[in-house]
Amino acid sequence: LIGDIYMSMGDFNNSLESLDTALKIRKWNDGDNSESVANTLYSMARLMDKTGLYSEARDHLVECIRIRRMLPNSSEQDIANSLFGMGVVLLHAGANDAGLMYFT
């Protein structure tokens, strides 16, 4: 949450630091394949997209989607939001055809 607040304020350095810390804590507390880890990866992907680091954003979303698909309690909406986010990142990266596939 703190990382998201920093991101909304445009303070990307503190956002990244907070999200990195949150990811480490959540992996330690909840395990590598938890909903909290997936949520943090999604936030990190948003940050990477906002800063033009599209490859890193894509990597975070791939991991987020993998986790969400394997968790029995993940909602279809959470998975759909992650897939939509992947499309946005790919469009921003200039991979229009690949990005558009995530919107259909």
Side-chain angles (χ1 to χ4, degrees):
L1 181 61
I2 294 171
D4 290 327
I5 293 169
Y6 279 128
M7 188 184 342
S8 71
M9 295 180 354
D11 188 346
F12 300 134
N13 289 332
N14 278 325
S15 178
L16 180 59
E17 184 178 324
S18 295
L19 289 170
D20 275 337
T21 300
L23 184 62
K24 289 174 188 166
I25 291 169
R26 289 175 175 165
K27 282 184 174 186
W28 186 78
N29 281 338
D30 304 330
D32 291 345
N33 296 313
S34 65
E35 187 65 26
S36 65
V37 169
N39 290 338
T40 304
L41 288 167
Y42 184 80
S43 291
M44 292 178 90
R46 288 182 47 236
L47 175 63
M48 297 297 109
D49 181 53
K50 285 180 183 265
T51 58
L53 300 171
Y54 304 120
S55 179
E56 289 88 343
R58 184 196 160 281
D59 291 346
H60 288 311
L61 282 169
V62 166
E63 185 65 9
C64 171
I65 293 164
R66 182 194 68 76
I67 292 169
R68 286 186 169 159
R69 282 185 169 158
M70 68 179 277
L71 290 174
N73 62 337
S74 277
S75 72
E76 290 181 12
Q77 183 67 47
D78 285 340
I79 295 168
N81 286 341
S82 300
L83 291 169
F84 184 85
M86 180 67 82
V88 169
V89 167
L90 291 171
L91 287 176
H92 289 163
N96 294 341
D97 290 339
L100 289 173
M101 288 179 17
Y102 284 89
F103 300 133
T104 59

XYZ file of all heavy atoms in Angstrom:
807
model
N 0.819 -1.194 0.000
C 0.000 0.000 0.000
C 0.863 1.258 0.000
O 0.591 2.184 -0.749
C -0.943 -0.021 1.198
C -1.882 1.158 1.331
C -2.804 1.261 0.139
C -2.667 1.058 2.597
N 1.905 1.271 0.789
C 2.766 2.452 0.835
C 3.426 2.666 -0.517
O 3.507 3.797 -1.006
C 3.822 2.332 1.963
C 3.125 2.342 3.321
C 4.849 3.452 1.875
C 4.027 2.012 4.488
N 3.867 1.584 -1.140
C 4.470 1.692 -2.465
C 3.501 2.247 -3.485
O 3.881 3.034 -4.358
N 2.231 1.852 -3.390
C 1.212 2.374 -4.303
C 0.967 3.864 -4.066
O 0.731 4.622 -5.010
C -0.098 1.597 -4.154
C 0.003 0.174 -4.687
O 0.745 -0.043 -5.661
O -0.661 -0.709 -4.125
N 1.011 4.276 -2.816
C 0.823 5.699 -2.499
C 1.982 6.514 -3.067
O 1.767 7.552 -3.707
C 0.673 5.912 -0.979
C -0.641 5.290 -0.498
C 0.744 7.396 -0.620
C -0.777 5.201 1.002
N 3.212 6.047 -2.850
C 4.363 6.737 -3.432
C 4.230 6.809 -4.956
O 4.519 7.839 -5.567
C 5.670 6.031 -3.073
C 6.214 6.339 -1.700
C 6.558 5.312 -0.831
C 6.420 7.648 -1.283
C 7.079 5.587 0.429
C 6.946 7.933 -0.032
C 7.268 6.896 0.814
O 7.800 7.175 2.052
N 3.782 5.711 -5.571
C 3.628 5.688 -7.016
C 2.615 6.735 -7.474
O 2.857 7.458 -8.436
C 3.186 4.285 -7.487
C 3.190 4.131 -8.982
S 2.583 2.534 -9.659
C 2.635 1.400 -8.314
N 1.509 6.830 -6.770
C 0.474 7.805 -7.148
C 0.965 9.244 -6.989
O 0.482 10.145 -7.675
C -0.800 7.582 -6.341
O -0.614 7.957 -5.002
N 1.943 9.445 -6.106
C 2.513 10.777 -5.911
C 3.662 11.048 -6.881
O 4.226 12.140 -6.887
C 3.014 10.928 -4.469
C 1.912 10.878 -3.451
S 2.401 11.034 -1.700
C 4.140 11.032 -1.645
N 4.026 10.046 -7.676
C 5.122 10.217 -8.624
C 6.493 10.003 -8.024
O 7.502 10.267 -8.670
N 6.560 9.498 -6.805
C 7.832 9.230 -6.131
C 8.221 7.780 -6.407
O 8.025 6.884 -5.591
C 7.686 9.487 -4.628
C 9.006 9.428 -3.894
O 10.005 8.932 -4.472
O 9.038 9.871 -2.733
N 8.762 7.559 -7.608
C 9.000 6.208 -8.078
C 10.133 5.496 -7.341
O 10.094 4.285 -7.167
C 9.241 6.205 -9.586
C 8.073 6.752 -10.367
C 8.270 7.666 -11.371
C 6.769 6.360 -10.082
C 7.199 8.174 -12.099
C 5.694 6.863 -10.788
C 5.916 7.766 -11.803
N 11.139 6.223 -6.889
C 12.236 5.586 -6.153
C 11.746 5.008 -4.828
O 12.048 3.859 -4.487
C 13.378 6.572 -5.918
C 14.122 6.899 -7.186
O 14.188 6.097 -8.110
N 14.678 8.094 -7.253
N 11.004 5.805 -4.062
C 10.477 5.304 -2.795
C 9.423 4.227 -3.019
O 9.295 3.305 -2.212
C 9.906 6.442 -1.951
C 10.987 7.179 -1.190
O 11.965 6.591 -0.750
N 10.825 8.474 -1.049
N 8.682 4.343 -4.112
C 7.708 3.314 -4.436
C 8.403 1.972 -4.660
O 7.989 0.950 -4.103
C 6.913 3.711 -5.684
O 5.995 2.699 -6.036
N 9.459 1.982 -5.462
C 10.186 0.741 -5.741
C 10.784 0.158 -4.469
O 10.685 -1.050 -4.226
C 11.268 0.978 -6.784
C 12.097 -0.242 -7.174
C 11.204 -1.356 -7.728
C 13.173 0.134 -8.168
N 11.365 1.000 -3.651
C 11.957 0.536 -2.393
C 10.893 -0.104 -1.496
O 11.104 -1.185 -0.934
C 12.630 1.696 -1.673
C 13.347 1.300 -0.412
C 14.035 2.493 0.240
O 14.550 3.370 -0.469
O 14.036 2.521 1.491
N 9.752 0.543 -1.381
C 8.666 0.016 -0.543
C 8.112 -1.288 -1.099
O 7.846 -2.235 -0.347
C 7.543 1.043 -0.434
O 7.987 2.185 0.247
N 7.933 -1.342 -2.414
C 7.396 -2.566 -3.022
C 8.389 -3.721 -2.924
O 7.989 -4.868 -2.688
C 6.995 -2.303 -4.474
C 5.763 -1.423 -4.649
C 5.597 -1.013 -6.110
C 4.513 -2.115 -4.144
N 9.677 -3.443 -3.097
C 10.693 -4.488 -2.926
C 10.662 -5.053 -1.508
O 10.710 -6.267 -1.311
C 12.098 -3.942 -3.208
C 12.463 -3.954 -4.667
O 11.887 -4.744 -5.438
O 13.340 -3.154 -5.052
N 10.582 -4.159 -0.531
C 10.517 -4.594 0.861
C 9.256 -5.401 1.115
O 9.299 -6.463 1.755
C 10.577 -3.378 1.807
O 11.807 -2.678 1.573
C 10.492 -3.790 3.256
N 8.127 -4.913 0.600
C 6.858 -5.629 0.781
C 6.918 -7.012 0.161
O 6.432 -7.989 0.749
C 5.713 -4.824 0.171
N 7.525 -7.129 -1.016
C 7.619 -8.435 -1.677
C 8.429 -9.417 -0.838
O 8.018 -10.571 -0.654
C 8.229 -8.271 -3.064
C 8.300 -9.525 -3.912
C 6.899 -10.072 -4.204
C 9.043 -9.248 -5.217
N 9.544 -8.973 -0.312
C 10.374 -9.846 0.528
C 9.608 -10.293 1.775
O 9.642 -11.468 2.146
C 11.662 -9.126 0.923
C 12.619 -8.950 -0.219
C 13.810 -8.103 0.180
C 14.652 -7.795 -1.049
N 15.611 -6.740 -0.821
N 8.946 -9.361 2.414
C 8.192 -9.690 3.634
C 7.058 -10.653 3.321
O 6.832 -11.640 4.039
C 7.672 -8.406 4.308
C 8.836 -7.596 4.886
C 6.642 -8.734 5.391
C 8.457 -6.193 5.335
N 6.328 -10.392 2.248
C 5.178 -11.241 1.900
C 5.618 -12.637 1.483
O 4.948 -13.613 1.802
C 4.342 -10.559 0.833
C 3.606 -9.371 1.423
C 2.852 -8.573 0.422
N 2.100 -7.541 1.145
C 1.561 -6.504 0.584
N 1.637 -6.345 -0.727
N 0.914 -5.618 1.305
N 6.739 -12.735 0.782
C 7.255 -14.072 0.436
C 7.653 -14.827 1.696
O 7.394 -16.019 1.820
C 8.445 -13.961 -0.519
C 8.041 -13.674 -1.937
C 9.251 -13.672 -2.856
C 8.818 -13.531 -4.299
N 9.949 -13.664 -5.229
N 8.267 -14.125 2.632
C 8.700 -14.764 3.872
C 7.496 -15.178 4.718
O 7.452 -16.268 5.260
C 9.611 -13.815 4.653
C 10.219 -14.439 5.855
C 11.280 -15.290 5.893
C 9.790 -14.271 7.202
N 11.541 -15.658 7.191
C 10.635 -15.049 8.022
C 8.769 -13.538 7.802
C 10.493 -15.116 9.400
C 8.636 -13.605 9.175
C 9.498 -14.387 9.959
N 6.507 -14.298 4.835
C 5.328 -14.570 5.663
C 4.351 -15.545 5.031
O 3.820 -16.427 5.704
C 4.567 -13.281 5.981
C 5.194 -12.480 7.085
O 5.943 -12.994 7.899
N 4.899 -11.204 7.098
N 4.057 -15.333 3.750
C 2.953 -16.047 3.102
C 3.388 -17.101 2.100
O 2.548 -17.851 1.603
C 2.038 -15.037 2.385
C 1.514 -13.962 3.318
O 1.349 -14.238 4.521
O 1.267 -12.831 2.843
N 4.656 -17.137 1.755
C 5.153 -18.079 0.753
C 5.225 -17.425 -0.617
O 4.595 -16.400 -0.873
N 6.003 -18.044 -1.492
C 6.254 -17.480 -2.813
C 5.019 -17.425 -3.703
O 4.963 -16.619 -4.629
C 7.338 -18.273 -3.538
C 8.707 -18.095 -2.913
O 8.894 -17.156 -2.115
O 9.606 -18.895 -3.231
N 4.070 -18.301 -3.473
C 2.908 -18.420 -4.352
C 1.617 -18.024 -3.644
O 0.638 -18.750 -3.657
C 2.794 -19.846 -4.886
C 3.983 -20.216 -5.749
O 4.382 -19.454 -6.610
N 4.557 -21.376 -5.505
N 1.615 -16.844 -3.059
C 0.449 -16.374 -2.319
C -0.212 -15.201 -3.043
O 0.398 -14.545 -3.890
C 0.864 -15.939 -0.914
O 1.723 -14.820 -1.003
N -1.453 -14.954 -2.678
C -2.185 -13.831 -3.269
C -1.505 -12.509 -2.937
O -1.457 -11.601 -3.776
C -3.630 -13.829 -2.768
C -4.505 -12.803 -3.453
C -4.716 -13.061 -4.940
O -4.634 -14.220 -5.379
O -4.951 -12.078 -5.665
N -0.951 -12.384 -1.730
C -0.274 -11.137 -1.363
C 0.961 -10.897 -2.231
O 1.252 -9.757 -2.607
C 0.089 -11.130 0.120
O 1.037 -12.126 0.414
N 1.675 -11.955 -2.571
C 2.831 -11.828 -3.463
C 2.358 -11.431 -4.861
O 2.933 -10.549 -5.497
C 3.657 -13.133 -3.489
C 4.688 -13.119 -4.608
C 4.342 -13.345 -2.137
N 1.287 -12.064 -5.340
C 0.743 -11.718 -6.662
C 0.321 -10.250 -6.700
O 0.589 -9.545 -7.681
C -0.431 -12.632 -7.008
N -0.318 -9.772 -5.643
C -0.743 -8.368 -5.600
C 0.451 -7.420 -5.635
O 0.411 -6.382 -6.299
C -1.578 -8.100 -4.346
C -2.924 -8.766 -4.391
O -3.438 -9.103 -5.449
N -3.503 -8.986 -3.222
N 1.502 -7.773 -4.932
C 2.696 -6.930 -4.924
C 3.376 -6.941 -6.285
O 3.821 -5.902 -6.779
C 3.675 -7.387 -3.825
O 2.989 -7.391 -2.568
C 4.879 -6.462 -3.734
N 3.436 -8.109 -6.914
C 4.012 -8.187 -8.255
C 3.222 -7.342 -9.247
O 3.787 -6.690 -10.124
C 4.063 -9.644 -8.724
C 5.103 -10.517 -8.028
C 4.850 -11.990 -8.335
C 6.514 -10.113 -8.435
N 1.912 -7.329 -9.090
C 1.064 -6.508 -9.961
C 1.385 -5.025 -9.761
O 1.526 -4.277 -10.737
C -0.411 -6.781 -9.675
C -1.346 -6.051 -10.600
C -1.597 -6.530 -11.882
C -1.967 -4.876 -10.198
C -2.442 -5.850 -12.740
C -2.805 -4.190 -11.050
C -3.046 -4.673 -12.319
O -3.878 -3.993 -13.170
N 1.527 -4.604 -8.519
C 1.888 -3.204 -8.246
C 3.264 -2.878 -8.814
O 3.471 -1.791 -9.379
C 1.872 -2.933 -6.741
O 0.563 -2.977 -6.238
N 4.191 -3.803 -8.684
C 5.528 -3.577 -9.233
C 5.474 -3.465 -10.754
O 6.181 -2.635 -11.345
C 6.474 -4.698 -8.802
C 6.765 -4.682 -7.322
S 7.828 -6.031 -6.805
C 9.415 -5.260 -7.009
N 4.637 -4.267 -11.383
C 4.487 -4.194 -12.838
C 3.932 -2.834 -13.252
O 4.392 -2.248 -14.235
C 3.579 -5.317 -13.328
N 2.967 -2.322 -12.503
C 2.417 -0.989 -12.790
C 3.512 0.072 -12.698
O 3.596 0.962 -13.541
C 1.274 -0.662 -11.833
C 0.016 -1.443 -12.109
C -1.137 -1.079 -11.169
N -1.312 0.349 -11.020
C -1.299 1.013 -9.852
N -1.138 0.352 -8.717
N -1.473 2.305 -9.810
N 4.344 -0.045 -11.667
C 5.441 0.913 -11.489
C 6.425 0.820 -12.652
O 6.837 1.837 -13.211
C 6.151 0.670 -10.160
C 7.388 1.525 -9.901
C 7.020 3.009 -9.844
C 8.080 1.081 -8.630
N 6.805 -0.392 -13.019
C 7.752 -0.572 -14.125
C 7.171 -0.006 -15.423
O 7.874 0.627 -16.212
C 8.097 -2.050 -14.309
C 8.806 -2.712 -13.134
S 10.420 -2.003 -12.775
C 10.082 -1.153 -11.244
N 5.879 -0.209 -15.638
C 5.224 0.332 -16.830
C 5.272 1.862 -16.816
O 5.598 2.482 -17.826
C 3.774 -0.165 -16.897
C 3.035 0.342 -18.110
O 3.545 0.175 -19.243
O 1.940 0.915 -17.942
N 4.988 2.462 -15.677
C 4.988 3.927 -15.566
C 6.376 4.514 -15.801
O 6.494 5.660 -16.249
C 4.490 4.373 -14.196
C 2.996 4.244 -14.011
C 2.593 4.703 -12.612
C 1.135 4.513 -12.391
N 0.366 5.719 -12.665
N 7.422 3.753 -15.502
C 8.788 4.252 -15.657
C 9.433 3.784 -16.958
O 10.614 4.025 -17.174
C 9.659 3.842 -14.451
O 9.660 2.419 -14.321
C 9.147 4.481 -13.168
N 8.648 3.121 -17.808
C 9.162 2.713 -19.118
C 9.983 1.447 -19.116
O 10.625 1.121 -20.122
N 9.982 0.713 -18.026
C 10.727 -0.547 -17.935
C 9.780 -1.703 -18.284
O 9.371 -2.483 -17.428
C 11.326 -0.702 -16.540
C 12.309 0.398 -16.137
C 12.678 0.280 -14.672
C 13.548 0.356 -17.015
N 9.444 -1.780 -19.566
C 8.391 -2.680 -20.013
C 8.757 -4.158 -19.880
O 7.904 -4.973 -19.551
C 7.993 -2.350 -21.448
C 7.585 -0.918 -21.606
C 8.273 -0.067 -22.472
C 6.529 -0.387 -20.868
C 7.910 1.263 -22.603
C 6.166 0.951 -20.991
C 6.853 1.760 -21.860
O 6.497 3.071 -21.990
N 10.002 -4.497 -20.112
C 10.420 -5.892 -19.968
C 10.259 -6.363 -18.523
O 9.771 -7.467 -18.264
C 11.870 -6.050 -20.429
O 12.298 -7.375 -20.276
N 10.666 -5.509 -17.590
C 10.525 -5.847 -16.182
C 9.048 -5.921 -15.786
O 8.644 -6.803 -15.021
C 11.252 -4.829 -15.298
C 12.763 -4.906 -15.372
C 13.351 -4.043 -16.488
O 12.605 -3.638 -17.414
O 14.556 -3.784 -16.451
N 8.250 -5.001 -16.320
C 6.810 -5.030 -16.042
C 6.211 -6.337 -16.533
O 5.426 -6.976 -15.826
C 6.115 -3.844 -16.708
N 6.583 -6.730 -17.733
C 6.090 -7.983 -18.294
C 6.486 -9.163 -17.413
O 5.663 -10.028 -17.120
C 6.633 -8.169 -19.711
C 6.098 -9.386 -20.402
C 6.956 -9.745 -21.630
N 6.742 -11.117 -21.993
C 7.288 -12.168 -21.403
N 8.081 -12.030 -20.374
N 7.037 -13.389 -21.797
N 7.728 -9.188 -16.978
C 8.202 -10.296 -16.131
C 7.393 -10.387 -14.839
O 7.021 -11.483 -14.408
C 9.687 -10.128 -15.799
C 10.589 -10.314 -17.013
O 10.119 -10.831 -18.054
O 11.772 -9.919 -16.922
N 7.130 -9.244 -14.218
C 6.344 -9.241 -12.982
C 4.917 -9.731 -13.237
O 4.356 -10.475 -12.429
C 6.317 -7.846 -12.355
C 7.613 -7.426 -11.743
N 8.342 -8.207 -10.871
C 8.326 -6.279 -11.871
C 9.433 -7.578 -10.501
N 9.448 -6.397 -11.099
N 4.352 -9.332 -14.367
C 2.985 -9.763 -14.674
C 2.917 -11.246 -15.005
O 1.955 -11.923 -14.631
C 2.409 -8.935 -15.825
C 1.951 -7.553 -15.412
C 1.653 -6.700 -16.634
C 0.727 -7.632 -14.515
N 3.918 -11.762 -15.686
C 3.952 -13.203 -15.975
C 3.921 -13.988 -14.673
O 3.166 -14.956 -14.524
C 5.192 -13.569 -16.825
C 5.442 -15.071 -16.838
C 5.037 -13.044 -18.251
N 4.728 -13.565 -13.719
C 4.769 -14.251 -12.424
C 3.459 -14.065 -11.664
O 2.933 -15.010 -11.058
C 5.950 -13.747 -11.598
C 6.156 -14.466 -10.298
C 6.525 -15.933 -10.443
O 6.806 -16.406 -11.563
O 6.517 -16.640 -9.416
N 2.910 -12.870 -11.696
C 1.630 -12.582 -11.043
C 0.525 -13.477 -11.611
O -0.248 -14.089 -10.858
C 1.288 -11.109 -11.234
S -0.363 -10.643 -10.710
N 0.446 -13.560 -12.909
C -0.583 -14.373 -13.568
C -0.394 -15.844 -13.241
O -1.359 -16.567 -12.962
C -0.579 -14.119 -15.086
C -1.044 -12.684 -15.371
C -1.449 -15.138 -15.820
C -0.731 -12.196 -16.777
N 0.867 -16.302 -13.255
C 1.147 -17.706 -12.916
C 0.625 -18.034 -11.516
O -0.056 -19.040 -11.320
C 2.650 -17.993 -12.995
C 3.004 -19.451 -12.706
C 4.488 -19.643 -12.464
N 4.947 -19.031 -11.234
C 4.742 -19.515 -10.010
N 4.063 -20.635 -9.826
N 5.211 -18.889 -8.948
N 0.914 -17.155 -10.567
C 0.476 -17.386 -9.186
C -1.046 -17.369 -9.112
O -1.665 -18.261 -8.514
C 1.079 -16.330 -8.234
C 2.597 -16.519 -8.124
C 0.420 -16.415 -6.855
C 3.307 -15.371 -7.419
N -1.658 -16.370 -9.704
C -3.117 -16.249 -9.609
C -3.837 -17.430 -10.249
O -4.877 -17.868 -9.754
C -3.578 -14.928 -10.209
C -3.238 -13.762 -9.302
C -3.797 -12.464 -9.776
N -3.640 -11.475 -8.703
C -3.648 -10.184 -8.904
N -3.843 -9.686 -10.110
N -3.495 -9.359 -7.884
N -3.286 -17.952 -11.324
C -3.934 -19.094 -11.985
C -3.852 -20.362 -11.154
O -4.705 -21.231 -11.273
C -3.312 -19.327 -13.360
C -3.802 -18.356 -14.398
C -3.278 -18.677 -15.756
N -3.959 -17.902 -16.776
C -3.471 -17.660 -17.972
N -2.288 -18.143 -18.318
N -4.154 -16.949 -18.837
N -2.828 -20.487 -10.345
C -2.674 -21.718 -9.571
C -3.382 -21.676 -8.216
O -3.620 -22.710 -7.616
C -1.194 -22.059 -9.371
C -0.443 -21.108 -8.488
S 1.275 -21.553 -8.270
C 1.141 -22.745 -6.988
N -3.742 -20.486 -7.745
C -4.393 -20.375 -6.444
C -5.890 -20.676 -6.567
O -6.569 -20.073 -7.394
C -4.209 -18.975 -5.863
C -2.804 -18.615 -5.411
C -2.750 -17.152 -5.003
C -2.349 -19.512 -4.283
N -6.392 -21.573 -5.738
C -7.815 -21.919 -5.836
C -8.745 -20.773 -5.438
O -9.889 -20.732 -5.871
C -7.970 -23.104 -4.874
C -6.811 -23.011 -3.941
C -5.700 -22.337 -4.699
N -8.256 -19.827 -4.659
C -9.117 -18.733 -4.201
C -9.001 -17.467 -5.045
O -9.609 -16.460 -4.724
C -8.840 -18.411 -2.730
C -7.415 -17.934 -2.507
O -6.538 -18.222 -3.311
N -7.180 -17.241 -1.418
N -8.225 -17.513 -6.122
C -8.124 -16.334 -6.993
C -9.402 -16.182 -7.798
O -9.919 -17.141 -8.358
C -6.951 -16.477 -7.966
O -5.755 -16.101 -7.375
N -9.870 -14.963 -7.870
C -11.082 -14.710 -8.639
C -10.738 -14.569 -10.120
O -9.619 -14.201 -10.486
C -11.771 -13.450 -8.140
O -11.041 -12.303 -8.519
N -11.713 -14.851 -10.950
C -11.541 -14.654 -12.384
C -11.273 -13.183 -12.678
O -10.533 -12.854 -13.606
C -12.760 -15.156 -13.141
C -12.889 -16.665 -13.115
C -14.092 -17.172 -13.891
O -14.710 -16.392 -14.641
O -14.391 -18.363 -13.755
N -11.859 -12.302 -11.884
C -11.644 -10.865 -12.068
C -10.183 -10.492 -11.829
O -9.615 -9.692 -12.579
C -12.551 -10.064 -11.130
C -12.447 -8.566 -11.308
C -12.970 -8.111 -12.652
O -14.043 -8.519 -13.072
N -12.219 -7.274 -13.344
N -9.556 -11.057 -10.798
C -8.139 -10.774 -10.535
C -7.270 -11.239 -11.694
O -6.331 -10.543 -12.107
C -7.684 -11.448 -9.240
C -8.185 -10.757 -7.991
O -8.566 -9.567 -8.074
O -8.206 -11.408 -6.929
N -7.554 -12.424 -12.197
C -6.784 -12.948 -13.330
C -7.007 -12.071 -14.558
O -6.062 -11.711 -15.267
C -7.155 -14.419 -13.603
C -6.730 -15.288 -12.408
C -6.502 -14.918 -14.893
C -7.295 -16.692 -12.420
N -8.274 -11.700 -14.816
C -8.587 -10.847 -15.967
C -7.889 -9.492 -15.852
O -7.364 -8.973 -16.848
C -10.095 -10.669 -16.084
N -7.855 -8.908 -14.663
C -7.167 -7.624 -14.470
C -5.672 -7.749 -14.772
O -5.078 -6.844 -15.366
C -7.366 -7.108 -13.050
C -8.751 -6.571 -12.815
O -9.483 -6.251 -13.744
N -9.128 -6.480 -11.556
N -5.086 -8.859 -14.369
C -3.665 -9.079 -14.632
C -3.404 -9.242 -16.124
O -2.422 -8.713 -16.661
C -3.165 -10.315 -13.876
O -3.334 -10.142 -12.489
N -4.287 -9.973 -16.803
C -4.146 -10.143 -18.249
C -4.330 -8.809 -18.974
O -3.603 -8.494 -19.921
C -5.141 -11.180 -18.758
C -4.866 -12.621 -18.306
C -6.055 -13.513 -18.630
C -3.580 -13.155 -18.936
N -5.284 -8.021 -18.526
C -5.486 -6.689 -19.094
C -4.235 -5.835 -18.897
O -3.791 -5.141 -19.814
C -6.707 -6.020 -18.443
C -7.038 -4.680 -19.027
C -7.820 -4.583 -20.159
C -6.562 -3.515 -18.434
C -8.131 -3.344 -20.704
C -6.861 -2.273 -18.971
C -7.647 -2.187 -20.105
N -3.661 -5.905 -17.687
C -2.424 -5.176 -17.412
C -1.304 -5.576 -18.352
O -0.516 -4.730 -18.799
N -1.236 -6.863 -18.682
C -0.218 -7.339 -19.629
C -0.446 -6.701 -20.994
O 0.508 -6.262 -21.648
C -0.262 -8.856 -19.742
C 0.766 -9.422 -20.703
S 2.465 -9.215 -20.151
C 2.575 -10.601 -19.026
N -1.696 -6.631 -21.417
C -1.988 -5.987 -22.689
C -1.564 -4.532 -22.712
O -0.991 -4.054 -23.695
N -1.819 -3.829 -21.629
C -1.436 -2.422 -21.532
C 0.078 -2.271 -21.626
O 0.591 -1.422 -22.373
C -1.972 -1.796 -20.223
C -1.370 -0.426 -19.970
C -3.493 -1.726 -20.254
N 0.804 -3.099 -20.894
C 2.267 -3.029 -20.917
C 2.787 -3.289 -22.330
O 3.664 -2.564 -22.828
C 2.886 -4.025 -19.910
C 4.374 -4.203 -20.148
C 2.624 -3.558 -18.485
N 2.254 -4.304 -22.986
C 2.715 -4.619 -24.337
C 2.400 -3.489 -25.314
O 3.226 -3.172 -26.184
C 2.111 -5.941 -24.806
C 2.637 -7.179 -24.061
C 1.825 -8.411 -24.425
C 4.114 -7.398 -24.343
N 1.233 -2.878 -25.177
C 0.913 -1.726 -26.032
C 1.877 -0.576 -25.786
O 2.379 0.046 -26.727
C -0.523 -1.267 -25.800
C -1.619 -2.166 -26.359
C -2.987 -1.636 -25.953
C -1.524 -2.285 -27.868
N 2.166 -0.300 -24.525
C 3.111 0.778 -24.199
C 4.504 0.475 -24.735
O 5.245 1.392 -25.088
C 3.170 1.008 -22.694
C 1.945 1.647 -22.140
N 1.650 1.639 -20.804
C 0.922 2.313 -22.727
C 0.509 2.265 -20.595
N 0.044 2.680 -21.755
N 4.852 -0.810 -24.789
C 6.164 -1.221 -25.285
C 6.225 -1.213 -26.810
O 7.287 -1.443 -27.386
C 6.514 -2.611 -24.751
N 5.092 -0.986 -27.452
C 5.064 -0.945 -28.908
C 4.723 -2.264 -29.567
O 4.746 -2.377 -30.786
N 4.413 -3.269 -28.771
C 4.032 -4.579 -29.301
C 2.511 -4.617 -29.441
O 1.815 -5.308 -28.701
C 4.539 -5.691 -28.381
N 2.014 -3.838 -30.391
C 0.561 -3.638 -30.504
C -0.209 -4.923 -30.762
O -1.242 -5.158 -30.136
C 0.266 -2.613 -31.598
C 0.780 -1.241 -31.240
O 1.042 -0.941 -30.084
N 0.963 -0.394 -32.241
N 0.255 -5.739 -31.701
C -0.470 -6.978 -32.013
C -0.523 -7.898 -30.801
O -1.589 -8.458 -30.481
C 0.156 -7.698 -33.207
C -0.055 -6.947 -34.521
O -0.992 -6.117 -34.581
O 0.707 -7.198 -35.474
N 0.598 -8.052 -30.130
C 0.639 -8.914 -28.943
C -0.237 -8.324 -27.829
O -0.954 -9.054 -27.149
C 2.064 -9.100 -28.452
N -0.176 -7.020 -27.651
C -0.970 -6.379 -26.616
C -2.460 -6.504 -26.853
O -3.220 -6.779 -25.924
N -2.874 -6.341 -28.098
C -4.290 -6.428 -28.419
C -4.871 -7.813 -28.166
O -6.054 -7.951 -27.849
C -4.529 -6.017 -29.874
C -4.357 -4.532 -30.166
C -4.455 -4.258 -31.659
C -5.380 -3.702 -29.410
N -4.037 -8.830 -28.250
C -4.520 -10.202 -27.990
C -5.016 -10.351 -26.566
O -5.877 -11.182 -26.297
C -3.416 -11.224 -28.270
C -3.144 -11.385 -29.745
S -1.825 -12.555 -30.184
C -1.579 -13.545 -28.761
N -4.499 -9.563 -25.637
C -4.901 -9.659 -24.238
C -6.242 -8.961 -23.975
O -6.798 -9.088 -22.893
C -3.826 -9.074 -23.316
C -2.663 -10.016 -23.163
C -1.591 -9.967 -24.037
C -2.661 -10.971 -22.157
C -0.509 -10.833 -23.903
C -1.607 -11.851 -22.023
C -0.546 -11.781 -22.881
O 0.501 -12.654 -22.751
N -6.735 -8.228 -24.954
C -8.020 -7.542 -24.784
C -9.168 -8.287 -25.413
O -10.312 -7.824 -25.353
C -7.951 -6.136 -25.385
C -6.892 -5.265 -24.758
C -6.042 -4.527 -25.547
C -6.748 -5.191 -23.391
C -5.059 -3.716 -24.980
C -5.784 -4.399 -22.807
C -4.933 -3.655 -23.603
N -8.916 -9.425 -26.033
C -9.992 -10.178 -26.692
C -10.324 -11.440 -25.953
O -9.640 -11.907 -25.112
C -9.614 -10.532 -28.135
O -8.411 -11.310 -28.139
C -9.430 -9.279 -28.959
